[in-house]
Coordinates of all heavy atoms in Angstrom, one line a residue:
M1 N -82.0 20.1 105.2 CA -81.6 18.9 105.8 C -81.3 19.1 107.2 O -80.6 20.0 107.6 CB -80.4 18.4 105.0 CG -79.8 17.1 105.6 SD -78.5 16.3 104.6 CE -77.4 17.7 104.2
Q2 N -81.8 18.2 108.1 CA -81.5 18.3 109.5 C -81.1 16.9 110.0 O -81.5 15.9 109.4 CB -82.6 18.9 110.3 CG -83.9 18.2 110.2 CD -85.0 19.0 110.9 OE1 -84.8 20.1 111.3 NE2 -86.2 18.4 111.0
N3 N -80.4 16.9 111.1 CA -80.0 15.6 111.7 C -81.0 15.1 112.7 O -82.1 15.8 112.9 CB -78.6 15.7 112.4 CG -78.6 16.8 113.5 OD1 -79.6 17.1 114.1 ND2 -77.4 17.2 113.9
S4 N -80.8 14.1 113.4 CA -81.7 13.5 114.3 C -82.0 14.3 115.5 O -83.1 14.2 116.2 CB -81.3 12.1 114.8 OG -80.0 12.2 115.5
K5 N -81.2 15.3 115.8 CA -81.4 16.3 116.9 C -82.2 17.5 116.5 O -82.5 18.4 117.2 CB -80.1 16.7 117.5 CG -79.3 15.6 118.1 CD -77.9 16.2 118.5 CE -77.0 15.0 118.8 NZ -75.6 15.4 118.8
G6 N -82.6 17.5 115.2 CA -83.3 18.7 114.6 C -82.5 19.8 114.2 O -83.0 20.9 113.9
E7 N -81.1 19.7 114.3 CA -80.2 20.7 113.9 C -80.2 20.8 112.4 O -80.0 19.8 111.7 CB -78.8 20.4 114.4 CG -78.8 20.4 115.9 CD -77.4 19.8 116.5 OE1 -76.8 18.9 115.8 OE2 -77.0 20.2 117.5
V8 N -80.3 22.0 111.9 CA -80.3 22.3 110.4 C -78.8 22.2 110.0 O -78.0 22.9 110.4 CB -80.9 23.6 110.0 CG1 -80.7 23.9 108.6 CG2 -82.4 23.7 110.4
L9 N -78.5 21.2 109.1 CA -77.2 21.0 108.6 C -77.0 21.8 107.3 O -75.9 22.3 107.0 CB -76.9 19.5 108.3 CG -77.1 18.6 109.5 CD1 -77.0 17.2 109.1 CD2 -76.2 19.0 110.6
E10 N -78.1 22.0 106.5 CA -78.0 22.7 105.2 C -79.4 23.1 104.9 O -80.3 22.4 105.0 CB -77.4 21.8 104.2 CG -77.1 22.4 102.9 CD -76.3 21.5 101.9 OE1 -76.2 20.3 102.2 OE2 -75.8 22.1 100.9
N11 N -79.5 24.4 104.4 CA -80.7 24.9 104.0 C -80.5 25.6 102.6 O -79.9 26.6 102.5 CB -81.3 26.0 105.0 CG -82.6 26.5 104.6 OD1 -83.1 26.3 103.5 ND2 -83.3 27.2 105.5
M12 N -81.1 25.0 101.6 CA -80.9 25.5 100.2 C -82.3 25.9 99.7 O -82.4 26.2 98.5 CB -80.3 24.4 99.3 CG -79.0 23.9 99.8 SD -78.3 22.7 98.8 CE -77.9 23.7 97.3
M13 N -83.3 26.1 100.5 CA -84.6 26.5 100.0 C -84.6 27.8 99.3 O -85.4 28.0 98.4 CB -85.6 26.4 101.1 CG -86.0 25.0 101.5 SD -86.7 24.1 100.2 CE -87.2 22.6 101.0
N14 N -83.7 28.7 99.7 CA -83.7 30.0 99.1 C -82.6 30.2 98.0 O -82.4 31.2 97.5 CB -83.6 31.1 100.1 CG -84.8 31.2 101.0 OD1 -85.9 31.0 100.6 ND2 -84.6 31.4 102.3
G15 N -81.9 29.1 97.8 CA -80.8 29.1 96.8 C -81.2 28.5 95.5 O -82.4 28.2 95.3
P16 N -80.3 28.3 94.6 CA -80.6 27.7 93.3 C -81.0 26.2 93.5 O -80.5 25.6 94.4 CB -79.3 27.9 92.5 CG -78.2 28.0 93.5 CD -78.9 28.7 94.7
A17 N -81.8 25.8 92.6 CA -82.3 24.4 92.6 C -81.1 23.4 92.3 O -80.2 23.8 91.6 CB -83.4 24.2 91.6
I18 N -81.2 22.2 92.9 CA -80.2 21.2 92.6 C -80.8 20.4 91.4 O -81.9 20.0 91.4 CB -80.0 20.3 93.8 CG1 -79.4 21.1 94.9 CG2 -79.1 19.1 93.4 CD1 -79.3 20.4 96.2
S19 N -79.9 20.1 90.4 CA -80.3 19.3 89.3 C -79.5 18.0 89.3 O -78.4 18.0 89.6 CB -80.0 20.1 88.0 OG -80.3 19.4 86.9
Y20 N -80.2 16.9 88.9 CA -79.6 15.7 88.9 C -80.2 14.8 87.8 O -81.3 15.1 87.4 CB -79.6 14.9 90.2 CG -80.9 14.3 90.6 CD1 -81.1 13.0 90.4 CD2 -82.0 15.1 91.0 CE1 -82.3 12.4 90.7 CE2 -83.2 14.5 91.3 CZ -83.4 13.2 91.2 OH -84.6 12.6 91.4
L21 N -79.6 13.8 87.4 CA -80.1 12.9 86.3 C -80.7 11.7 87.0 O -80.0 10.8 87.6 CB -79.0 12.5 85.4 CG -79.3 11.7 84.1 CD1 -80.3 12.6 83.3 CD2 -78.1 11.4 83.3
H22 N -82.0 11.6 87.1 CA -82.7 10.6 87.8 C -82.4 9.2 87.2 O -82.5 9.1 86.0 CB -84.2 10.8 87.8 CG -85.0 10.0 88.8 ND1 -85.0 10.3 90.2 CD2 -85.7 8.9 88.7 CE1 -85.7 9.4 90.8 NE2 -86.1 8.5 89.9
G23 N -82.1 8.2 88.0 CA -81.8 6.9 87.5 C -80.4 6.6 87.2 O -80.0 5.5 86.8
D24 N -79.5 7.6 87.3 CA -78.1 7.5 87.0 C -77.3 6.9 88.1 O -76.1 6.6 88.0 CB -77.6 8.8 86.6 CG -76.3 8.7 85.8 OD1 -76.1 7.8 85.0 OD2 -75.4 9.5 86.0
G25 N -77.9 6.8 89.3 CA -77.2 6.2 90.5 C -76.2 7.1 91.1 O -75.3 6.6 91.9
K26 N -76.2 8.4 90.9 CA -75.2 9.3 91.5 C -75.7 9.9 92.8 O -75.0 10.7 93.4 CB -74.9 10.4 90.5 CG -74.1 9.8 89.3 CD -73.6 10.9 88.4 CE -72.8 10.3 87.3 NZ -72.5 11.2 86.2
I27 N -76.9 9.6 93.2 CA -77.4 10.0 94.6 C -77.7 8.8 95.3 O -77.8 7.7 94.8 CB -78.6 11.0 94.5 CG1 -79.8 10.3 93.9 CG2 -78.2 12.3 93.7 CD1 -81.1 11.2 94.0
L28 N -77.9 8.9 96.6 CA -78.2 7.7 97.5 C -79.4 7.0 96.9 O -80.5 7.6 96.6 CB -78.4 8.1 98.9 CG -77.2 8.6 99.7 CD1 -77.7 9.2 101.0 CD2 -76.2 7.6 99.8
P29 N -79.4 5.7 96.8 CA -80.5 4.9 96.2 C -81.8 5.2 97.0 O -82.9 5.3 96.3 CB -80.1 3.4 96.4 CG -78.6 3.5 96.5 CD -78.3 4.8 97.2
G30 N -81.8 5.3 98.3 CA -83.0 5.5 99.1 C -83.6 6.9 98.8 O -84.8 7.0 98.7
L31 N -82.8 7.9 98.6 CA -83.2 9.2 98.2 C -83.8 9.2 96.8 O -84.9 9.7 96.6 CB -82.1 10.2 98.3 CG -82.3 11.6 97.8 CD1 -83.5 12.2 98.6 CD2 -81.1 12.5 97.9
E32 N -83.1 8.6 95.9 CA -83.6 8.5 94.5 C -85.0 7.8 94.5 O -85.9 8.2 93.8 CB -82.6 7.9 93.6 CG -83.0 7.9 92.1 CD -81.8 7.6 91.2 OE1 -81.1 6.6 91.5 OE2 -81.6 8.4 90.3
R33 N -85.1 6.7 95.2 CA -86.3 5.9 95.2 C -87.5 6.7 95.7 O -88.6 6.7 95.2 CB -86.1 4.6 96.1 CG -87.2 3.6 96.1 CD -86.9 2.3 96.8 NE -86.2 2.5 98.1 CZ -84.9 2.3 98.3 NH1 -84.1 1.9 97.3 NH2 -84.3 2.5 99.5
Q34 N -87.2 7.5 96.8 CA -88.3 8.3 97.3 C -88.6 9.6 96.5 O -89.7 10.1 96.6 CB -87.9 8.8 98.8 CG -87.9 7.6 99.7 CD -87.7 8.0 101.1 OE1 -88.5 8.7 101.7 NE2 -86.6 7.6 101.8
L35 N -87.8 10.0 95.6 CA -88.0 11.1 94.7 C -88.8 10.6 93.4 O -89.4 11.4 92.7 CB -86.7 11.7 94.2 CG -86.0 12.5 95.3 CD1 -84.6 12.9 94.8 CD2 -86.8 13.7 95.8
T36 N -88.8 9.3 93.2 CA -89.4 8.8 92.0 C -90.9 9.1 92.0 O -91.6 8.9 92.9 CB -89.2 7.2 91.9 OG1 -87.8 7.0 91.8 CG2 -89.9 6.6 90.7
G37 N -91.3 9.6 90.8 CA -92.8 9.9 90.6 C -93.3 11.2 91.1 O -94.4 11.6 90.9
L38 N -92.4 12.0 91.8 CA -92.9 13.3 92.3 C -93.0 14.3 91.1 O -92.2 14.2 90.1 CB -91.9 13.9 93.3 CG -91.8 13.2 94.6 CD1 -90.8 13.8 95.5 CD2 -93.1 13.1 95.3
A39 N -94.0 15.1 91.1 CA -94.2 16.1 90.0 C -93.9 17.5 90.5 O -93.7 17.8 91.7 CB -95.7 16.0 89.6
V40 N -93.8 18.4 89.5 CA -93.6 19.8 89.8 C -94.5 20.3 90.8 O -95.7 20.1 90.7 CB -93.6 20.6 88.5 CG1 -93.5 22.1 88.8 CG2 -92.6 20.2 87.5
G41 N -94.0 21.0 91.8 CA -94.8 21.6 92.9 C -95.0 20.7 94.1 O -95.5 21.2 95.1
E42 N -94.7 19.5 94.0 CA -94.9 18.6 95.1 C -93.7 18.7 96.1 O -92.6 19.1 95.7 CB -95.0 17.1 94.6 CG -96.3 16.8 93.9 CD -96.4 15.3 93.6 OE1 -95.5 14.8 92.9 OE2 -97.4 14.8 94.1
Y43 N -94.0 18.4 97.3 CA -92.9 18.4 98.3 C -93.0 17.2 99.1 O -94.1 16.6 99.2 CB -92.9 19.7 99.1 CG -94.0 19.8 100.1 CD1 -93.9 19.4 101.4 CD2 -95.2 20.4 99.7 CE1 -95.0 19.5 102.3 CE2 -96.3 20.5 100.6 CZ -96.2 20.0 101.8 OH -97.2 20.2 102.7
K44 N -91.9 16.8 99.8 CA -91.9 15.6 100.5 C -90.8 15.7 101.6 O -89.8 16.2 101.4 CB -91.6 14.4 99.6 CG -91.7 13.0 100.3 CD -91.5 11.9 99.2 CE -91.8 10.6 99.8 NZ -91.7 9.5 98.8
Y45 N -91.1 15.1 102.8 CA -90.0 14.9 103.8 C -89.5 13.5 103.6 O -90.2 12.5 103.5 CB -90.6 15.1 105.2 CG -90.9 16.5 105.5 CD1 -92.2 17.0 105.3 CD2 -89.9 17.3 106.0 CE1 -92.5 18.3 105.6 CE2 -90.2 18.7 106.3 CZ -91.5 19.1 106.1 OH -91.7 20.5 106.4
I46 N -88.2 13.4 103.5 CA -87.5 12.1 103.2 C -86.6 11.9 104.4 O -85.8 12.7 104.8 CB -86.7 12.2 101.9 CG1 -87.7 12.4 100.7 CG2 -85.9 10.9 101.7 CD1 -87.1 12.6 99.4
N47 N -86.6 10.6 104.9 CA -85.8 10.2 106.0 C -84.7 9.3 105.5 O -85.1 8.3 104.7 CB -86.6 9.6 107.1 CG -87.5 10.6 107.8 OD1 -87.0 11.5 108.3 ND2 -88.8 10.3 107.8
L48 N -83.5 9.5 105.8 CA -82.4 8.6 105.4 C -81.8 8.1 106.7 O -81.3 8.9 107.6 CB -81.3 9.3 104.6 CG -81.8 9.9 103.3 CD1 -80.7 10.6 102.6 CD2 -82.3 8.7 102.4
C49 N -81.8 6.8 107.0 CA -81.3 6.2 108.2 C -79.9 5.8 108.1 O -79.5 5.1 107.1 CB -82.2 5.0 108.6 SG -83.9 5.4 108.9
K50 N -79.1 6.2 109.1 CA -77.6 5.8 109.0 C -77.5 4.3 109.0 O -76.5 3.8 108.5 CB -76.9 6.5 110.2 CG -77.2 6.0 111.5 CD -76.4 6.7 112.6 CE -76.7 6.2 114.0 NZ -75.9 6.8 115.0
A51 N -78.4 3.5 109.6 CA -78.3 2.1 109.6 C -78.4 1.5 108.1 O -77.8 0.5 107.9 CB -79.5 1.5 110.4
D52 N -79.0 2.3 107.2 CA -79.1 1.8 105.8 C -77.9 2.3 105.0 O -77.7 1.8 103.9 CB -80.4 2.3 105.2 CG -81.6 1.8 105.9 OD1 -81.6 0.7 106.4 OD2 -82.7 2.5 105.9
Y53 N -77.2 3.3 105.5 CA -76.1 3.9 104.7 C -74.9 4.1 105.7 O -74.8 5.1 106.4 CB -76.5 5.3 104.2 CG -77.7 5.1 103.2 CD1 -79.0 5.4 103.6 CD2 -77.5 4.7 101.9 CE1 -80.0 5.2 102.7 CE2 -78.5 4.5 101.0 CZ -79.8 4.8 101.5 OH -80.9 4.6 100.6
P54 N -74.0 3.1 105.7 CA -72.9 3.2 106.6 C -72.0 4.5 106.6 O -71.4 4.8 107.5 CB -72.0 2.0 106.2 CG -73.0 1.0 105.5 CD -74.0 1.9 104.9
G55 N -72.1 5.2 105.5 CA -71.3 6.4 105.3 C -71.9 7.6 106.1 O -71.2 8.6 106.3
L56 N -73.2 7.5 106.5 CA -73.8 8.6 107.2 C -73.5 8.5 108.7 O -73.5 7.4 109.3 CB -75.4 8.5 107.0 CG -75.9 8.7 105.7 CD1 -77.5 8.6 105.7 CD2 -75.5 10.1 105.1
D57 N -73.2 9.7 109.2 CA -72.9 9.8 110.7 C -74.2 9.8 111.5 O -74.1 9.6 112.7 CB -72.1 11.0 111.0 CG -70.7 11.0 110.3 OD1 -70.2 9.9 110.1 OD2 -70.2 12.0 110.0
D58 N -75.3 10.2 111.0 CA -76.5 10.4 111.7 C -77.7 10.1 110.8 O -77.6 10.1 109.6 CB -76.5 11.8 112.3 CG -77.5 12.0 113.4 OD1 -78.3 11.0 113.7 OD2 -77.6 13.1 113.9
D59 N -78.9 9.9 111.4 CA -80.1 9.9 110.6 C -80.3 11.3 110.0 O -80.1 12.3 110.7 CB -81.3 9.5 111.4 CG -81.1 8.0 111.9 OD1 -80.4 7.3 111.3 OD2 -81.8 7.7 112.9
L60 N -80.9 11.4 108.8 CA -81.1 12.7 108.2 C -82.6 12.8 107.8 O -83.2 11.8 107.3 CB -80.2 12.9 107.0 CG -78.7 12.9 107.2 CD1 -78.0 13.0 105.9 CD2 -78.3 14.0 108.2
E61 N -83.1 14.0 107.9 CA -84.4 14.3 107.3 C -84.2 15.5 106.3 O -83.6 16.5 106.6 CB -85.4 14.8 108.4 CG -86.8 15.0 107.8 CD -87.8 15.5 108.9 OE1 -87.7 16.7 109.2 OE2 -88.6 14.7 109.3
L62 N -84.7 15.2 105.1 CA -84.6 16.2 104.0 C -86.0 16.7 103.7 O -86.9 15.9 103.5 CB -84.0 15.7 102.8 CG -82.5 15.3 102.9 CD1 -82.3 14.0 103.6 CD2 -82.0 15.2 101.5
E63 N -86.2 18.0 103.5 CA -87.4 18.5 102.9 C -87.1 18.9 101.5 O -86.2 19.6 101.2 CB -87.8 19.8 103.7 CG -89.1 20.4 103.1 CD -89.5 21.7 103.8 OE1 -88.7 22.2 104.7 OE2 -90.6 22.2 103.5
V64 N -87.9 18.2 100.6 CA -87.6 18.4 99.2 C -88.8 19.0 98.5 O -89.9 18.6 98.7 CB -87.3 17.0 98.5 CG1 -87.1 17.1 97.0 CG2 -86.1 16.3 99.2
V65 N -88.6 20.0 97.6 CA -89.6 20.6 96.8 C -89.2 20.4 95.4 O -88.0 20.7 95.0 CB -89.7 22.1 97.1 CG1 -90.8 22.8 96.2 CG2 -90.1 22.4 98.6
I66 N -90.1 20.0 94.5 CA -89.8 19.7 93.1 C -90.1 21.0 92.3 O -91.3 21.4 92.2 CB -90.6 18.5 92.6 CG1 -90.4 17.3 93.4 CG2 -90.3 18.3 91.1 CD1 -88.9 16.8 93.5
D67 N -89.0 21.6 91.8 CA -89.2 22.9 91.1 C -89.5 22.6 89.6 O -90.2 23.3 88.9 CB -88.0 23.8 91.2 CG -87.8 24.3 92.6 OD1 -88.8 24.6 93.2 OD2 -86.6 24.5 93.0
D68 N -88.8 21.6 89.1 CA -88.9 21.3 87.6 C -88.6 19.8 87.4 O -87.8 19.2 88.1 CB -87.9 22.2 86.9 CG -88.1 22.1 85.4 OD1 -89.2 21.8 84.9 OD2 -87.1 22.4 84.6
V69 N -89.3 19.3 86.4 CA -89.0 17.9 85.9 C -89.0 18.0 84.4 O -89.9 18.6 83.8 CB -90.1 16.9 86.4 CG1 -89.9 15.5 85.8 CG2 -90.2 16.9 87.9
R70 N -88.0 17.4 83.8 CA -88.0 17.4 82.3 C -87.3 16.1 81.9 O -86.6 15.4 82.6 CB -87.3 18.6 81.8 CG -85.8 18.6 82.2 CD -85.1 19.8 81.6 NE -83.7 19.9 82.0 CZ -82.7 19.1 81.6 NH1 -82.9 18.2 80.7 NH2 -81.5 19.3 82.1
I71 N -87.5 15.8 80.6 CA -86.9 14.6 80.0 C -85.4 15.0 79.7 O -85.1 16.1 79.2 CB -87.6 14.3 78.6 CG1 -89.1 14.0 78.9 CG2 -86.9 13.1 78.0 CD1 -89.3 12.8 79.8
A72 N -84.5 14.1 80.0 CA -83.1 14.3 79.8 C -82.8 14.3 78.3 O -83.4 13.6 77.5 CB -82.3 13.2 80.5
S73 N -81.9 15.2 77.9 CA -81.5 15.2 76.5 C -80.6 14.0 76.2 O -80.1 13.3 77.1 CB -80.6 16.5 76.2 OG -79.4 16.4 76.9
E74 N -80.4 13.7 74.9 CA -79.6 12.6 74.5 C -78.2 12.8 75.0 O -77.5 11.8 75.4 CB -79.6 12.4 72.9 CG -80.9 12.0 72.4 CD -81.3 10.6 72.8 OE1 -80.4 9.7 73.0 OE2 -82.5 10.3 73.1
E75 N -77.7 14.0 74.9 CA -76.3 14.3 75.4 C -76.2 14.0 76.9 O -75.2 13.4 77.4 CB -76.0 15.8 75.2 CG -74.6 16.1 75.6 CD -74.2 17.6 75.4 OE1 -75.1 18.3 74.9 OE2 -73.1 18.0 75.7
E76 N -77.2 14.4 77.7 CA -77.2 14.1 79.1 C -77.2 12.6 79.4 O -76.4 12.1 80.2 CB -78.4 14.8 79.8 CG -78.3 16.3 79.9 CD -79.5 16.9 80.4 OE1 -80.6 16.5 79.9 OE2 -79.4 17.8 81.2
L77 N -78.0 11.9 78.6 CA -78.1 10.4 78.8 C -76.8 9.8 78.5 O -76.3 8.9 79.2 CB -79.2 9.9 78.0 CG -80.6 10.3 78.5 CD1 -81.7 9.8 77.5 CD2 -80.9 9.8 79.9
S78 N -76.2 10.2 77.4 CA -74.9 9.5 76.9 C -73.7 9.9 77.8 O -72.9 9.1 78.1 CB -74.6 9.9 75.5 OG -74.3 11.2 75.3
N79 N -73.7 11.1 78.4 CA -72.6 11.5 79.3 C -72.9 11.3 80.7 O -72.0 11.4 81.5 CB -72.4 13.0 79.1 CG -71.8 13.4 77.7 OD1 -71.2 12.6 77.1 ND2 -72.1 14.6 77.2
G80 N -74.1 11.0 81.1 CA -74.5 10.8 82.5 C -74.4 12.1 83.3 O -74.1 12.0 84.5
I81 N -74.6 13.2 82.7 CA -74.4 14.5 83.3 C -75.7 15.3 83.1 O -76.2 15.4 82.0 CB -73.2 15.3 82.8 CG1 -71.9 14.6 83.0 CG2 -73.2 16.7 83.4 CD1 -70.7 15.2 82.3
S82 N -76.2 15.9 84.2 CA -77.4 16.7 84.2 C -76.9 18.1 83.8 O -75.9 18.6 84.2 CB -78.1 16.8 85.5 OG -79.1 17.7 85.5
Q83 N -77.7 18.8 83.0 CA -77.3 20.2 82.6 C -78.4 21.1 83.1 O -79.6 20.8 83.0 CB -77.3 20.3 81.1 CG -76.2 19.5 80.5 CD -76.1 19.7 79.0 OE1 -77.1 20.0 78.3 NE2 -74.9 19.7 78.4
Q84 N -78.0 22.1 83.8 CA -78.9 23.1 84.4 C -78.8 24.4 83.6 O -77.7 25.0 83.5 CB -78.6 23.3 85.9 CG -79.5 24.3 86.5 CD -79.2 24.4 88.0 OE1 -78.2 24.0 88.5 NE2 -80.1 25.0 88.8
V85 N -79.9 24.9 83.1 CA -80.0 26.2 82.4 C -79.8 27.3 83.5 O -80.6 27.3 84.4 CB -81.3 26.3 81.6 CG1 -81.3 27.7 81.0 CG2 -81.3 25.3 80.5
V86 N -78.8 28.1 83.3 CA -78.6 29.2 84.3 C -78.9 30.6 83.7 O -78.6 31.6 84.3 CB -77.2 29.1 84.9 CG1 -77.0 27.9 85.7 CG2 -76.1 29.2 83.8
G87 N -79.4 30.7 82.5 CA -79.7 32.0 81.9 C -79.5 31.9 80.4 O -79.0 31.0 79.8
E88 N -79.9 33.0 79.8 CA -79.8 33.1 78.3 C -78.7 34.1 77.9 O -78.6 35.1 78.6 CB -81.2 33.6 77.8 CG -81.3 33.5 76.3 CD -82.7 33.9 75.8 OE1 -83.0 35.1 75.9 OE2 -83.4 33.0 75.3
I89 N -78.0 33.7 76.9 CA -76.9 34.6 76.4 C -77.3 34.9 75.0 O -77.7 34.0 74.2 CB -75.6 33.8 76.4 CG1 -75.2 33.4 77.9 CG2 -74.5 34.6 75.8 CD1 -74.0 32.6 78.0
C90 N -77.0 36.1 74.6 CA -77.2 36.5 73.2 C -75.9 37.0 72.6 O -75.2 37.8 73.3 CB -78.3 37.7 73.1 SG -79.9 37.2 73.6
D91 N -75.5 36.5 71.4 CA -74.3 36.9 70.9 C -74.4 38.2 70.1 O -75.5 38.8 70.0 CB -73.6 35.8 70.1 CG -74.4 35.4 68.8 OD1 -75.3 36.2 68.4 OD2 -74.2 34.3 68.3
E92 N -73.3 38.6 69.4 CA -73.3 39.9 68.7 C -74.2 39.9 67.5 O -74.6 40.9 67.0 CB -71.9 40.3 68.3 CG -71.2 39.3 67.4 CD -70.5 38.1 68.1 OE1 -70.4 38.1 69.3 OE2 -70.0 37.2 67.4
D93 N -74.6 38.7 67.0 CA -75.5 38.6 65.9 C -77.0 38.4 66.4 O -77.9 38.1 65.6 CB -75.2 37.3 65.0 CG -73.8 37.5 64.4 OD1 -73.5 38.6 64.0 OD2 -73.1 36.5 64.3
C94 N -77.2 38.7 67.7 CA -78.5 38.6 68.3 C -79.1 37.2 68.2 O -80.3 37.0 68.1 CB -79.5 39.6 67.7 SG -79.0 41.3 68.1
I95 N -78.3 36.2 68.2 CA -78.7 34.8 68.3 C -78.6 34.5 69.8 O -77.5 34.6 70.4 CB -77.9 33.9 67.4 CG1 -78.0 34.3 66.0 CG2 -78.2 32.4 67.7 CD1 -77.1 33.6 65.0
C96 N -79.7 34.0 70.4 CA -79.8 33.7 71.8 C -79.8 32.2 72.0 O -80.4 31.5 71.2 CB -81.0 34.4 72.4 SG -81.0 36.2 72.3
Y97 N -79.2 31.8 73.1 CA -79.1 30.4 73.5 C -79.0 30.3 75.0 O -78.7 31.3 75.7 CB -78.0 29.7 72.8 CG -76.6 30.3 73.0 CD1 -75.8 29.8 74.1 CD2 -76.2 31.3 72.2 CE1 -74.6 30.4 74.3 CE2 -74.9 31.9 72.5 CZ -74.1 31.4 73.5 OH -72.9 32.0 73.8
D98 N -79.4 29.2 75.5 CA -79.3 28.9 76.9 C -77.9 28.7 77.4 O -77.1 27.9 76.7 CB -80.2 27.7 77.4 CG -81.6 28.0 77.2 OD1 -82.0 29.2 77.3 OD2 -82.4 27.1 77.0
R99 N -77.5 29.4 78.5 CA -76.2 29.1 79.1 C -76.4 27.9 80.0 O -77.4 27.9 80.8 CB -75.7 30.3 79.9 CG -74.3 30.0 80.5 CD -73.8 31.3 81.1 NE -74.8 31.9 81.9 CZ -74.6 33.0 82.6 NH1 -73.4 33.6 82.6 NH2 -75.5 33.6 83.3
V100 N -75.6 26.9 79.9 CA -75.8 25.6 80.6 C -74.7 25.3 81.6 O -73.5 25.6 81.3 CB -76.0 24.4 79.6 CG1 -76.0 23.1 80.3 CG2 -77.2 24.7 78.7
Y101 N -75.0 24.8 82.8 CA -74.0 24.4 83.8 C -74.1 22.9 83.9 O -75.2 22.4 84.2 CB -74.4 25.1 85.1 CG -73.5 24.6 86.2 CD1 -72.2 24.9 86.3 CD2 -74.1 23.9 87.3 CE1 -71.4 24.5 87.4 CE2 -73.4 23.5 88.3 CZ -72.0 23.8 88.4 OH -71.3 23.3 89.4
N102 N -73.0 22.2 83.7 CA -73.0 20.8 83.8 C -72.8 20.4 85.3 O -71.9 20.9 85.9 CB -71.9 20.1 82.9 CG -72.2 20.3 81.5 OD1 -73.3 20.2 81.1 ND2 -71.2 20.5 80.7
Q103 N -73.6 19.5 85.7 CA -73.4 19.0 87.1 C -73.1 17.5 87.1 O -73.4 16.8 86.3 CB -74.7 19.2 87.9 CG -75.1 20.6 88.0 CD -76.2 20.9 88.9 OE1 -76.8 20.0 89.4 NE2 -76.5 22.1 89.1

């Protein structure tokens, strides 16, 4: 993400992916609208204008890469929380399951 002067405000390209529940209204509507329909592997430059979002101090440009797209679980839909799998855990009985981080 960079501002109108081209200054990088945040760079998460080498960090963990951000997970969100699309359609839940927890991200800026213009951002969500521009993410709609993107598929795994696609990337897009998204511009958010401060004129459209009074809370923004400056115009922003985001470079977005879609790492994964999946159908939300019933639990995620009912709670309005996205769950991100962060690894697999195996218990003492050798039963393995995904460790999940709620966002």
Side-chain angles (χ1 to χ4, degrees):
M1 175 173 46
Q2 59 186 5
N3 62 18
S4 62
K5 297 174 191 163
E7 299 169 326
V8 175
L9 304 174
E10 189 170 10
N11 183 349
M12 299 182 70
M13 287 301 187
N14 295 322
I18 295 172
S19 178
Y20 77 101
L21 189 59
H22 194 80
D24 198 39
K26 292 185 180 171
I27 64 173
L28 293 173
L31 175 57
E32 189 166 48
R33 187 172 44 255
Q34 292 187 60
L35 291 170
T36 299
L38 293 179
V40 173
E42 290 187 302
Y43 69 93
K44 184 175 187 176
Y45 287 96
I46 297 174
N47 292 301
L48 299 176
C49 299
K50 68 179 180 180
D52 297 332
Y53 299 98
L56 293 180
D57 295 334
D58 197 357
D59 296 337
L60 301 175
E61 181 181 81
L62 291 77
E63 180 182 7
V64 177
V65 178
I66 305 301
D67 291 327
D68 189 25
V69 175
R70 63 177 176 77
I71 302 297
S73 69
E74 290 297 323
E75 181 181 1
E76 289 171 317
L77 293 173
S78 65
N79 294 330
I81 297 173
S82 171
Q83 295 181 329
Q84 181 178 13
V85 175
V86 293
E88 188 175 72
I89 298 173
C90 298
D91 64 18
E92 61 275 355
D93 296 323
C94 294
I95 297 173
C96 299
Y97 56 93
D98 290 332
R99 181 173 47 177
V100 173
Y101 172 69
N102 291 325
Q103 298 188 356

